[in-house]
């Protein structure tokens, strides 16, 4: 239990500290994240940036390191969740495309909020919930039970419900949330070893989960791509795209593929706009360890 209370104390410190202290802590934590990451992962990330975006090797390495360094700021932002309320969230996060969410919610079929490991996805869910929308976030259970307890407590603190992406209870929660015409938050940009479709991401084949497309087809729910961006002044911007709908033709697999491909296209656009915001050190194409582990 001691780790849980240490993190709670750190959260309290971040809530009462002045901005210059928080900025310094975020910078320090980001630097630690870069130093603690295995070198093969940094090489893999830089190579993927180079291959996907066509930038030179020096710039690719910088983007890879920046994508890790931003986690310091993300951690500090999450630690300040106790301060977030419906009446102050707009001071921290502006939302572009909120009208798409308002219109989609009024359809009464539930809404699937689809994002990736891009920007502060934890604050993204908090922002939607604090705007008054019933929100269920699908998450992976943390290996450390104390940290799992902490992060779920903070998600619920800002108005979210939580379900794990494994097990019958998670599936029941997903089904119930959409049947009750509420919001479901999902991350769609990583291969979860579940059902998926092979789609090229920046010209490189990879497996992408078709969960959002399948749920949209089953319940008729609109899919809203949504992403969070950092602003230099410490505020953030959430960007909501127009809704996507999975058709119900005789070719179910094609229906899944077409909508998932549209989601990948949106993700590519977001990454091109702000490359360091994506989690490049994840072995997205499942070849990083083979290509770079053990290499000097």
């Amino acid at each position: 239990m001691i780790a849980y209370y240490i993190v709670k104390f750190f959260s309290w410190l971040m809530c009462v500290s002045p901005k210059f202290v928080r900025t310094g802590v975020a910078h320090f934590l980001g630097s630690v994240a870069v130093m603690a990451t295995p070198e093969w992962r940094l090489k893999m990330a830089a190579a993927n940036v180079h291959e996907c975006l066509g930038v030179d090797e020096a710039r690719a390495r910088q983007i890879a390191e920046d994508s890790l360094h931003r986690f310091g700021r993300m951690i500090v932002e999450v630690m300040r969740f106790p301060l977030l309320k419906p009446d102050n969230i707009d001071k921290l996060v502006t939302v572009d495309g909120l009208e798409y969410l308002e219109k989609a919610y009024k359809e009464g079929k539930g809404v699937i909020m689809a994002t990736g490991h891009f920007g502060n996805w934890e604050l993204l869910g908090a922002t939607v919930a604090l705007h008054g929308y019933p929100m269920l976030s699908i998450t992976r259970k943390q290996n450390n039970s104390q940290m799992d307890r902490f992060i779920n407590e903070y998600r619920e603190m800002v108005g979210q419900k939580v379900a794990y992406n494994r097990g019958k209870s998670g599936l029941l929660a997903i089904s119930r949330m959409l049947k009750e015409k509420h919001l479901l938050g999902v991350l769609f940009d990583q291969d979860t070893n579940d059902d998926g479709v092979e789609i090229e991401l920046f010209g490189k084949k990879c497996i992408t989960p078709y969960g959002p497309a399948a749920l949209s087809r089953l319940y008729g729910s609109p899919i809203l791509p949504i992403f969070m961006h950092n602003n230099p002044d410490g505020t953030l911007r959430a960007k909501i795209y127009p809704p996507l709908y999975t058709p119900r033709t005789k070719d179910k697999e094609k229906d899944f593929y077409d909508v998932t491909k549209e989601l990948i296209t949106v993700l590519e656009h977001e990454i091109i706009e702000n490359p360091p915001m994506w989690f490049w050190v994840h072995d997205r194409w499942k070849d990083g360890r083979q290509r770079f582990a053990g290499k000097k």
Side-chain angles (χ1 to χ4, degrees):
M1 292 296 293
I2 189 169
Y4 170 81
Y5 288 107
I6 289 173
V7 178
K8 290 279 285 188
F9 177 69
F10 177 58
S11 173
W12 174 80
L13 283 178
M14 291 300 96
C15 288
V16 300
S17 298
K19 185 176 180 179
F20 79 92
V21 172
R22 302 195 306 269
T23 301
V25 170
H27 181 80
F28 171 75
L29 292 176
S31 298
V32 170
V34 174
M35 291 187 292
T37 299
E39 181 61 22
W40 75 265
R41 282 196 175 273
L42 281 171
K43 288 181 178 179
M44 173 199 68
N48 285 334
V49 174
H50 172 68
E51 293 164 4
C52 293
L53 303 183
V55 298
D56 62 45
E57 293 183 359
R59 175 58 180 152
R61 176 75 181 205
Q62 186 61 56
I63 290 172
E65 292 186 358
D66 287 348
S67 74
L68 276 168
H69 202 277
R70 68 178 176 82
F71 274 86
R73 173 174 169 174
M74 181 176 173
I75 290 170
V76 171
E77 288 167 347
V78 172
M79 293 300 106
R80 288 172 59 81
F81 271 21
L83 301 178
L84 297 182
K85 301 290 185 291
D87 60 359
N88 66 17
I89 187 63
D90 287 339
K91 296 178 182 178
L92 179 63
V93 183
T94 58
V95 182
D96 296 341
L98 188 59
E99 66 274 12
Y100 297 128
L101 174 54
E102 293 171 346
K103 184 177 179 180
Y105 188 66
K106 290 178 181 178
E107 291 182 18
K109 297 180 180 180
V111 181
I112 302 164
M113 309 297 294
T115 190
H117 292 80
F118 187 101
N120 191 336
W121 58 87
E122 292 290 349
L123 185 54
L124 189 61
T127 299
V128 172
L130 288 169
H131 273 81
Y133 293 96
M135 178 83 172
L136 174 70
S137 290
I138 305 303
T139 185
R140 182 181 70 84
K141 190 171 186 178
Q142 302 297 312
N143 295 329
N144 185 305
S145 61
Q146 295 181 50
M147 292 303 97
D148 192 65
R149 173 190 171 188
F150 172 82
I151 190 60
N152 286 337
E153 178 183 307
Y154 271 46
R155 288 165 177 154
E156 292 170 355
M157 178 187 298
V158 291
Q160 300 181 80
K161 294 182 179 179
V162 179
Y164 295 120
N165 60 355
R166 292 286 189 275
K168 292 182 179 179
S169 60
L171 293 174
L172 288 173
I174 291 169
S175 177
R176 183 170 59 251
M177 206 67 177
L178 292 178
K179 285 181 178 179
E180 293 175 355
K181 323 305 181 188
H182 296 328
L183 271 64
L184 177 69
V186 295
L187 295 158
F188 71 88
D189 63 332
Q190 293 187 0
D191 183 356
T192 57
N193 296 317
D194 294 327
D195 293 335
V197 293
E198 186 177 76
I199 295 178
E200 290 187 353
L201 175 62
F202 290 111
K204 301 172 66 175
K205 291 181 180 180
C206 58
I207 301 298
T208 299
Y210 60 59
L215 290 169
S216 174
R217 191 178 190 273
L218 180 61
Y219 294 101
S221 308
I223 305 170
L224 293 185
I226 178 171
F227 295 88
M228 185 74 89
H229 292 263
N230 292 346
N231 295 326
D233 64 356
T235 61
L236 302 97
R237 175 175 62 94
K239 184 177 180 182
I240 303 176
Y241 281 79
L244 304 173
Y245 298 84
T246 306
R248 300 193 67 173
T249 71
K250 294 181 180 180
D251 191 341
K252 181 174 67 174
E253 297 303 319
K254 184 177 185 301
D255 295 342
F256 291 164
Y257 178 91
D258 289 346
V259 172
T260 306
K261 176 61 177 175
E262 288 189 70
L263 284 172
I264 288 295
T265 299
V266 172
L267 175 64
E268 288 177 336
H269 176 81
E270 289 293 301
I271 293 171
I272 291 170
E273 178 182 341
N274 203 339
M277 288 294 99
W278 197 46
F279 190 41
W280 287 98
V281 297
H282 171 64
D283 192 1
R284 182 63 184 91
W285 289 273
K286 303 298 184 184
D287 61 355
R289 186 177 294 274
Q290 180 180 354
R291 291 174 63 190
F292 297 100
K295 291 186 178 181
K296 296 182 179 180

